[in-house]
């Protein structure tokens, strides 16, 4: 793509404790074709005389909330979104919250409980599988409840699905409180070395159903879906310049997710070994007083993150200071990597959504063998 697709848009995560968006940071930019944002009543309004054509596109949003602090904001986004796509919310919230959501979204979107016939430790996967079965269109966007598409991004995803089985956009945080700035260091390193893992993917429904969905008993469900599509023989598009806004969690939720997110590296051995090497390498450098080596490593990490920031017009959504977060994030991942490995060895897995998950994700080889055996 010649220019980045810049979105505009809502709240927290699907199958986990409710993630409330931080209220501080950069104010979102209102624009024609962008969803409504708090404090900007003009955002999302179409220009007079301009009517957007509804896309033959389904949008599946799996969620499980423990409170309704952000119900009004999400409802505003869904009201905007339904003008462009068929929207299905698969809601695993407790009964009293489910009833409140049903009343708020009646006539607005399709509101379903997860299919009780589907089982698995990862409730998000159950929600996605329920939503994909209910979808009426071939092209389907899957998005966490903190993801906010704009019209341009939805249309680009729809276009890319005409030639790919799976599309992996690029998320960016807006607003950008300290913890979102910190986590953006991870995003930039991933962009420099390949592609980041966003809170949204898009798939062809026929491909998803033909391969039998994906395993609900893993922690890193996005990686599992990506690898399952590849193992099935499907094609993947990773447009680095297709930007989709994401609202940050609150700081408490961010802190509570550090070890759980590091556990995802158990499905990526090279990343795991790299993160496990950080703390021993730092200790050795400090013990030998090789401060120049440490400064060189920090500078290299920042330089790599800056390459990720500049890639595909990323400077439009990633402020210059975010590259400075990369060494801090890498040090955090080095510590949390050991804690995650300890939970695997000592406790057989990591706690997630009231249960315990052992496997982060299956290897592509395992998935290919499993699909072949069918």
């Amino acid at each position: 793509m010649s220019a980045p697709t810049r979105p505009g848009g809502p709240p927290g995560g699907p199958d986990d404790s409710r993630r409330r968006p931080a209220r501080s940071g950069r104010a979102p930019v209102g624009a024609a074709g962008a969803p409504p944002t708090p404090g900007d009543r003009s955002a999302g309004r179409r220009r007079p005389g301009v009517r957007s054509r509804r896309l033959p596109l389904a949008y599946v949003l799996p969620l499980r909330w423990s409170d309704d602090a952000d119900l009004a904001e999400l409802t505003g986004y869904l009201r905007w979104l339904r003008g462009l796509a068929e929207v299905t919310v698969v809601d695993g919230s407790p009964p009293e919250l489910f009833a409140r959501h049903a009343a708020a979204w009646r006539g607005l979107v399709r509101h379903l409980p997860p299919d009780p016939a589907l089982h698995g430790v990862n409730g998000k996967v159950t929600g996605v599988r329920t939503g994909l079965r209910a979808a009426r269109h071939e092209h389907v966007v899957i998005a966490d409840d903190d993801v906010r598409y704009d019209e341009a991004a939805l249309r680009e995803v729809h276009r890319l699905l005409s030639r790919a089985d799976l599309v992996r956009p690029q998320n960016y945080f807006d607003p950008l409180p300290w913890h979102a700035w910190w986590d953006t260091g991870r995003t930039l390193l991933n962009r420099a070395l390949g592609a980041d893992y966003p809170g949204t993917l898009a798939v062809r429904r026929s491909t998803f159903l033909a391969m039998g969905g994906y395993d609900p008993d893993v922690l890193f469900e996005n990686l599992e879906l990506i690898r399952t599509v590849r193992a099935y023989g499907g094609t993947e598009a990773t447009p680095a310049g297709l930007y989709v806004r994401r609202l940050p969690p609150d700081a408490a939720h961010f802190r509570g997710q550090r070890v759980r997110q590091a556990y995802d590296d158990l499905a990526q051995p090279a990343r795991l070994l790299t993160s496990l090497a950080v703390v021993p390498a730092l200790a050795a450098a400090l013990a030998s007083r090789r401060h120049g080596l440490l400064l060189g490593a920090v500078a290299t990490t920042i330089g790599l993150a800056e390459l990720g920031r500049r890639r595909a017009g990323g400077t439009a959504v990633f402020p210059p200071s975010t590259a400075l977060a990369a060494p801090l994030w890498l040090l955090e991942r080095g510590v949390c990597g050991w804690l995650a490995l300890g939970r695997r060895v000592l406790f057989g897995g990591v706690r997630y959504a009231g249960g315990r998950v052992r496997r982060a994700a299956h290897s592509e080889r395992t998935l290919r063998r499993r699909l072949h055996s069918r």
Side-chain angles (χ1 to χ4, degrees), residues 41-52:
R41 296 181 182 276
S42 65
R45 293 179 182 173
R46 300 184 179 93
R47 292 185 296 274
V50 177
R51 182 179 179 85
S52 295

Side-chain angles (χ1 to χ4, degrees), residues 17-53:
S17 57
R18 180 74 181 105
R19 295 187 288 183
R20 298 176 185 168
R23 304 300 183 186
S24 60
R26 293 181 292 136
V29 178
T37 55
D40 184 357
R41 296 181 182 276
S42 65
R45 293 179 182 173
R46 300 184 179 93
R47 292 185 296 274
V50 177
R51 182 179 179 85
S52 295
R53 181 172 60 86

Side-chain angles (χ1 to χ4, degrees), residues 21-336:
R23 304 300 183 186
S24 60
R26 293 181 292 136
V29 178
T37 55
D40 184 357
R41 296 181 182 276
S42 65
R45 293 179 182 173
R46 300 184 179 93
R47 292 185 296 274
V50 177
R51 182 179 179 85
S52 295
R53 181 172 60 86
R54 201 166 193 258
L55 296 166
L57 181 73
Y59 189 105
V60 173
L61 193 163
L63 63 80
R64 185 172 71 182
W65 283 2
S66 57
D67 69 68
D68 275 345
D70 301 306
L71 179 59
E73 195 279 334
L74 179 57
T75 301
Y77 175 64
L78 296 177
R79 184 174 292 110
W80 169 85
L81 184 62
R82 71 160 183 169
L84 288 168
E86 168 203 282
V87 183
T88 299
V89 178
V90 183
D91 190 353
S93 304
E96 63 278 8
L97 294 184
F98 184 94
R100 198 175 303 157
H101 300 163
W105 299 334
R106 185 173 294 113
L108 191 65
V109 300
R110 184 188 303 151
H111 180 230
L112 305 173
D115 186 344
L118 299 175
H119 303 284
V121 296
N122 195 315
K124 177 183 174 180
V125 178
T126 303
V128 169
R129 293 175 69 186
T130 300
L132 261 291
R133 290 181 179 181
R136 299 189 182 105
H137 295 290
E138 169 69 353
H139 294 179
V140 183
V141 170
I142 303 165
D144 291 351
D145 66 347
D146 58 356
V147 169
R148 295 295 179 269
Y149 274 86
D150 69 359
E151 182 173 337
L154 284 172
R155 292 189 179 279
E156 180 63 9
V157 164
H158 175 57
R159 186 187 70 82
L160 290 170
L161 281 174
S162 66
R163 62 177 178 85
D165 295 285
L166 181 141
V167 178
R168 186 179 358 169
Q170 172 64 70
N171 279 149
Y172 70 97
F173 286 118
D174 187 3
L176 195 71
W178 72 267
H179 53 285
W181 170 84
W182 182 293
D183 204 39
T184 300
R186 167 192 58 82
T187 298
L188 300 184
L189 290 176
N190 282 342
R191 284 172 58 81
L193 299 172
D196 192 36
Y197 294 99
T200 178
L201 297 171
V203 296
R204 288 183 181 178
R205 182 174 183 270
S206 59
T207 301
F208 186 92
L209 296 180
M211 69 188 194
Y214 60 125
D215 198 313
D217 293 320
V218 299
L219 183 67
F220 199 172
E221 82 289 335
N222 275 358
L223 179 59
E224 184 78 4
L225 177 54
I226 291 167
R227 285 180 173 176
T228 304
V229 169
R230 290 175 184 165
Y232 182 72
T235 55
E236 176 189 2
T238 56
L242 176 53
Y243 296 106
V244 178
R245 180 177 178 241
R246 191 171 193 176
L247 296 185
D250 60 29
H253 184 87
F254 171 81
R255 288 191 293 267
Q257 291 295 294
R258 308 332 300 148
V259 176
R260 191 205 69 74
Q261 290 188 5
Y263 199 89
D264 291 343
D265 283 351
L266 270 67
Q268 303 170 96
R271 287 174 181 255
L272 178 63
L273 291 175
T274 299
S275 64
L276 293 180
V278 169
V279 173
L282 176 62
L286 289 175
S288 61
R289 298 185 179 181
R290 302 182 68 178
H291 300 133
L293 184 62
L294 280 179
L295 290 175
V298 169
T300 299
T301 303
I302 293 174
L304 193 62
E306 181 63 18
L307 288 177
R309 192 181 79 87
R310 293 174 179 268
R311 183 183 176 195
T315 54
V317 294
F318 302 117
S321 66
T322 52
L324 300 176
L328 298 173
W329 176 84
L330 189 61
L331 177 59
E332 173 224 300
R333 181 52 60 96
V335 173
C336 292

